[in-house]
Amino acid sequence: MVNPNVQGKKYPETAPYLVGREKIREFANAVFSTNPVNLNVFAAQTAGYPDLVAPPTFAVLIQERSLGAVLADPEADIDFSRVVHGDQRFLHNRPIVAGDELTSVLEVASVKSLGAHSMITFSTEVYDADKKLVLTAISTLVVRGGE
Amino acid sequence: MTHIDIVALEVGQEVGAESFTFTRDSLVRYAGASGDFNPIHYRDDFAQSVGLAGVLAHGMLSMGTAVQVVVNWVGDAGKVIDYGVRFTKPVFVDAHEGALVTVVAKIGLIDLEAKTVRVDITCVCNETAVLGKAQAVVKL
């Protein structure tokens, strides 16, 4: 069972992640994107962006960095081998673009029990180098209880 | 860039429908791109050892692919400002055949004042919905 006392716990800010053009292209190809703003710098700039735009789910890369700290936290007591991804949401203030240097702060929004299972919801705020909020990623993991 | 006239849109209107074939190559490619190297997404022996019927796709691959139908409609990935899904069923990816995932996007809600449109997405594999409550809000 996930420790319910970690509800409200905030984890330290992650080290800056520099968003690269080729990483955006690699991710875009992996999610079957053919959208020019993901792949072509000229197209992105013509559309008004400073550089390549990341696909809408790219921020999972940043979220994962924050989640790593929680999964390694003995206080939270999450058995990763029993984890299933329950839901996911990305709320953007602006899209991520190549050249962004992103940090994130994760808070455990809630811990709930559902029979033998636990549901833990995380809210990860992602900031740019100017400390402006780029997006919030909300993720729920279901941790299956023992048989 | 595509120009969409928000006033001409109707709730329930279909704005895109596409099918995607996930192969084992797709899973390895997504693993590398996302950094999610959980072996249930590329090793049959490992998947079976944890009680799964076989290798399954990353939920985030289904999520990331499904929204492309919305992106293709609006013509600009940066206009998807809010996107959320529930992962309801796994997509098992056969080593030879892969898995066919069919995505349909329909207008769910129109906000003329905010100039936003909510697009409701269905994502189906083997006649089973693999995403639930999949909704993408697009800023027009």
Side-chain angles (χ1 to χ4, degrees), chain A residues 9-97:
Chain A
K9 186 170 179 178
K10 277 196 176 188
Y11 287 80
E13 186 179 88
T14 52
Y17 178 95
L18 178 59
V19 179
R21 279 181 184 167
E22 300 310 335
K23 193 65 192 180
I24 288 182
R25 289 191 177 109
E26 182 190 0
F27 192 91
N29 285 326
V31 294
F32 296 82
S33 170
T34 54
N35 193 224
V37 304
N38 292 150
L39 303 165
N40 181 308
V41 178
F42 181 72
Q45 290 175 344
T46 305
Y49 301 103
D51 210 309
L52 287 187
V53 175
T57 60
F58 184 87
V60 71
L61 279 156
I62 315 299
Q63 175 182 270
E64 283 305 307
R65 298 185 132 214
S66 274
L67 264 177
V70 189
L71 296 174
D73 178 8
E75 193 196 354
D77 194 22
I78 298 172
D79 179 355
F80 190 59
S81 69
R82 294 181 168 278
V83 163
V84 181
H85 203 172
D87 61 52
Q88 180 67 49
R89 186 174 174 193
F90 300 101
L91 266 161
H92 282 82
N93 276 353
R94 68 161 176 88
I96 293 172
V97 291

Side-chain angles (χ1 to χ4, degrees), chain A residues 99-115:
Chain A
D100 272 338
E101 218 173 287
L102 303 174
T103 54
S104 62
V105 176
L106 178 146
E107 180 177 356
V108 178
S110 71
V111 180
K112 289 174 193 159
S113 297
L114 206 81

Side-chain angles (χ1 to χ4, degrees), chain A residues 1-16:
Chain A
M1 293 292 278
V2 176
N3 179 3
N5 294 331
V6 294
Q7 184 165 315
K9 186 170 179 178
K10 277 196 176 188
Y11 287 80
E13 186 179 88
T14 52

Side-chain angles (χ1 to χ4, degrees), chain B residues 28-120:
Chain B
V28 172
R29 188 172 292 122
Y30 186 79
S34 68
D36 182 345
F37 290 104
N38 188 334
I40 60 170
H41 302 304
Y42 52 87
R43 268 181 56 188
D44 290 286
D45 61 332
F46 189 89
Q48 280 154 14
S49 77
V50 294
L52 294 165
V55 160
L56 49 94
H58 305 76
M60 288 303 302
L61 172 60
S62 301
M63 182 184 188
T65 303
V67 77
Q68 296 309 320
V69 176
V70 180
V71 169
N72 290 341
W73 169 59
V74 76
D76 179 348
K79 291 192 169 170
V80 179
I81 55 173
D82 180 1
Y83 178 39
V85 307
R86 283 186 193 151
F87 302 102
T88 49
K89 285 277 184 259
V91 174
F92 290 102
V93 179
D94 183 82
H96 301 286
E97 318 261 305
L100 186 72
V101 172
T102 301
V103 180
V104 177
K106 290 181 180 174
I107 304 287
L109 194 75
I110 301 165
D111 187 334
L112 290 174
E113 208 166 298
K115 290 203 172 67
T116 58
V117 172
R118 194 191 78 211
V119 182
D120 296 346

